C-alpha cells in the first residue's frame, strides 16, 4: 500500500496489492484495485488472471469464467489462468473440466506447483484412487517436502487401507514441520487403528499442545483414555 501511495499508476505494484488483498479476504478492495489496473492498461493480463481467484473465493464462478476468457484475449496460453479456472471448476464439482484445465497448466509449465496434486484431488473425488496416486507421486517428484501434498496423499492411502505407507507420508511431513498438528493427528488415528494407545495418546496430546482447538482432538484423546 505504501508503494502504491508513491507510485499510484504502477500496474505491477497495484497487482501485488490486489493479490495480497484477495489472500486476506478483502475481496471488494481487491476488485477495485484490479479495476484500476484495467483502466490504466487493458492489456495487462494478470489483472484478469488474478480476478479468477478473487471471484472463485467469492463463489461467483460465472464472473471467474468471464475473467478467464478476457485473460485469454490478451494472452491465449497462460499456465496460471488454466490453474486458477481449474480451481473454480473444482469448487463447482466439475471434476473432469478441472482436470482438463490443470493438464493444460502442466502442458504449458510442467513443474507448476500443485497442479499434479490438484489433479490427484479431483481424481480422488471421482473415486479413481489409483489415478490419484499417480499424480500425488508426480507432485512429490517436483517437491518432496510439500507438506500439504504429503498430508493429502497420506489420507488417501488411509482410505486405501495402506496404513504403513500412509504413516511414512505423515512422518515425512513432520520431518519438514515438526509442529504440524494435522500430521500428528493422523498418526494418532493410525496408532488407534493398531491399538497402540500409548502412542495415540502421545500424538493427540501433542496436537492439543500445538492447537488446543484442533477439531476432534479432545474427543479422540478421550476415547483413547
Amino acid at each position: 500500500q505504501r508503494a502504491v501511495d508513491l507510485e499510484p499508476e504502477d500496474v505491477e505494484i497495484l497487482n501485488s496489492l490486489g493479490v495480497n488483498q484477495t489472500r486476506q479476504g478483502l475481496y471488494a478492495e481487491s476488485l477495485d484495485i484490479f479495476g484500476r489496473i484495467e483502466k490504466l492498461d487493458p492489456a495487462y493480463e494478470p489483472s484478469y488472471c488474478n480476478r479468477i481467484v478473487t471471484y472463485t473465493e467469492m463463489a461467483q464462478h460465472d464472473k471467474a469464467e468471464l475473467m478467464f476468457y478476457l485473460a485469454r484475449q490478451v494472452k491465449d496460453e497462460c499456465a496460471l489462468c488454466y490453474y486458477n479456472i481449474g480451481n473454480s471448476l473444482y469448487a463447482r464439482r466439475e471434476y473432469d473440466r478441472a482436470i482438463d484445465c490443470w493438464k493444460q497448466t502442466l502442458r504449458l509449465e510442467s513443474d507448476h506447483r500443485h497442479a499434479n496434486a490438484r489433479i490427484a484431488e479431483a481424481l480422488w473425488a471421482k473415486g479413481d484412487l489409483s489415478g490419484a496416486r499417480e499424480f500425488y507421486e508426480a507432485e512429490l517428484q517436483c517437491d518432496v517436502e510439500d507438506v500439504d501434498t504429503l498430508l493429502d496423499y497420506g489420507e488417501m492411502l488411509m482410505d486405501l487401507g495402506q496404513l504403513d505407507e500412509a504413516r511414512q507420508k505423515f512422518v515425512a511431513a513432520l520431518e519438514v514441520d515438526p509442529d504440524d498438528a494435522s500430521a500428528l493427528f493422523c498418526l494418532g488415528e493410525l496408532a488407534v487403528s493398531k491399538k497402540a494407545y500409548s502412542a495415540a495418546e502421545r500424538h493427540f496430546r501433542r496436537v492439543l499442545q500445538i492447537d488446543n482447538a484442533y477439531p476432534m482432538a479432545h474427543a479422540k484423546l478421550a476415547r483413547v483414555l
Side-chain angles (χ1 to χ4, degrees), residues 77-176:
E77 294 203 318
C78 168
L80 186 57
C81 275
Y82 279 112
Y83 181 82
N84 289 343
I85 197 61
N87 291 334
S88 171
L89 292 164
Y90 181 89
R92 288 177 264 174
R93 300 185 179 182
E94 296 186 30
Y95 301 128
D96 288 331
R97 291 182 67 201
I99 290 168
D100 287 342
C101 286
W102 291 324
K103 285 184 176 179
Q104 292 294 334
T105 296
L106 292 170
R107 177 179 64 82
L108 296 166
E109 193 176 306
S110 60
D111 60 349
H112 189 97
R113 184 171 172 81
H114 290 153
N116 282 295
R118 299 289 356 234
I119 293 173
E121 289 175 41
L123 290 169
W124 185 5
K126 291 179 61 180
D128 182 358
L129 301 188
S130 61
R133 179 170 187 155
E134 174 189 345
F135 282 95
Y136 276 130
E137 291 286 356
E139 185 68 39
L140 290 175
Q141 286 178 10
C142 296
D143 183 2
V144 71
E145 295 187 342
D146 187 327
V147 171
D148 289 337
T149 298
L150 287 166
L151 292 174
D152 289 342
Y153 191 11
E155 289 187 24
M156 193 194 77
L157 289 167
M158 288 176 68
D159 281 357
L160 284 168
Q162 297 175 4
L163 303 186
D164 289 338
E165 284 191 69
R167 185 179 185 282
Q168 291 172 11
K169 298 296 181 276
F170 299 135
V171 169
L174 286 174
E175 289 174 353
V176 179

